[in-house]
Amino acid sequence: KQEVTQIPAALSVPEGENLVLNCSFTDSAIYNLQWFRQDPGKGLTSLLLIQSSQREQTSGRLNASLDKSSGRSTLYIAASQPGDSATYLCAVLTQGGSEKLVFGKGTKLTVNP
Amino acid sequence: DAGITQSPRYKITETGRQVTLMCHQTWSHSYMFWYRQDLGHGLRLIYYSAAADITDKGEVPDGYVVSRSKTENFPLTLESATRSQTSVYFCASKETGGQPQHFGDGTRLSIL
């Protein structure tokens, strides 16, 4: 059974810092991995999706990497801003014909002005 | 506007009542999903649907019923609500293949 872990559970940084959020998964036979952002009281916003054949994806100040063999992904946020404060979730889609995502419990990020 | 809409946004009901949460998407995505989000458990899949008239159980399906007579709608029914079903419910949709899932804003359901 696929399990997804995100460490740390919470992170507080000063504005302007570059930071890395971590995601690990137990079954390396994944189809893709998706990073989401969730603001309080809101739904999930898709940030980046990395296919199993890819090593990284970039969108603006965000860069997500994938090391499938070691079961790890990182989300790099450059020059963090207070508006980046949110909970970040990673989710994996495991190979096997099912479209079911398995989610980590998220990292709550606070960027202090 | 195109997107995925959930209704109601907030609902309070009593144990034993039947309640239906609505989900509507305008993209004509094949797949639709229902999740619940609880502190300590994260997001858990309740049911999903690959197409109209095709549904399947997720991780926590007990106590819930779904239907999908039209591609764009995927209602979730709690036939006899229990306090343990107090949660935030999210609907999501995606196209086939390696496409991202897109989420609605959620329904916060409280069962007294």
Side-chain angles (χ1 to χ4, degrees):
Chain A
K1 179 185 172 184
Q2 179 74 270
E3 293 182 359
V4 179
T5 303
Q6 292 185 248
I7 295 173
L11 182 63
S12 182
V13 300
E15 182 177 3
E17 231 180 63
N18 302 323
L19 58 99
V20 173
L21 305 181
N22 296 297
C23 173
S24 62
F25 46 93
T26 55
D27 184 351
S28 62
I30 66 168
Y31 193 67
N32 60 42
L33 183 145
Q34 196 168 354
W35 281 95
F36 295 89
R37 168 189 174 133
Q38 186 176 26
D39 294 288
K42 298 289 187 180
L44 280 68
T45 300
S46 180
L47 297 174
L48 290 164
L49 182 144
I50 311 177
Q51 304 294 350
S52 62
S53 58
Q54 298 175 320
R55 294 301 300 268
E56 64 179 69
Q57 280 284 340
T58 298
S59 176
R61 294 182 294 108
L62 305 180
N63 176 277
S65 67
L66 175 64
D67 184 342
K68 199 172 62 168
S69 61
S70 68
R72 293 183 179 182
S73 176
T74 61
L75 180 66
Y76 175 83
I77 302 176
S80 58
Q81 303 170 358
D84 294 330
S85 298
T87 297
Y88 291 80
L89 296 146
C90 76
V92 300
L93 184 62
T94 305
Q95 294 179 3
S98 167
E99 293 289 336
K100 295 180 280 189
L101 283 176
V102 177
F103 283 83
K105 293 182 179 178
T107 294
K108 184 176 182 180
L109 173 66
T110 302
V111 181
N112 300 300
Chain B
D1 287 344
I4 185 163
T5 306
Q6 293 185 237
S7 61
R9 289 297 315 279
Y10 304 93
K11 176 76 176 178
I12 300 174
T13 191
E14 297 175 339
T15 56
R17 296 278 183 111
Q18 182 181 84
V19 59
T20 297
L21 310 184
M22 304 302 292
C23 180
H24 175 79
Q25 53 106 355
T26 59
W27 292 302
S28 298
H29 284 168
S30 299
Y31 283 88
M32 295 188 74
F33 307 84
W34 275 107
Y35 296 90
R36 60 180 289 174
Q37 187 175 38
D38 304 286
L39 281 174
H41 289 283
L43 275 151
R44 293 179 291 175
L45 182 66
I46 305 170
Y47 269 97
Y48 69 106
S49 168
D53 297 322
I54 301 174
T55 62
D56 207 349
K57 296 177 180 179
E59 183 183 355
V60 288
D62 292 343
Y64 303 95
V65 174
V66 294
S67 62
R68 195 160 175 215
S69 57
K70 294 183 177 181
T71 299
E72 61 267 29
N73 296 324
F74 191 38
L76 176 74
T77 297
L78 289 66
E79 292 192 304
S80 179
T82 65
R83 289 199 178 99
S84 65
Q85 293 177 308
T86 292
S87 186
V88 181
Y89 290 85
F90 288 101
C91 179
S93 71
K94 72 181 289 286
E95 197 35 89
T96 56
Q99 299 301 312
Q101 282 194 25
H102 299 277
F103 281 72
D105 284 339
T107 294
R108 187 173 294 274
L109 177 64
S110 296
I111 300 165
L112 307 178

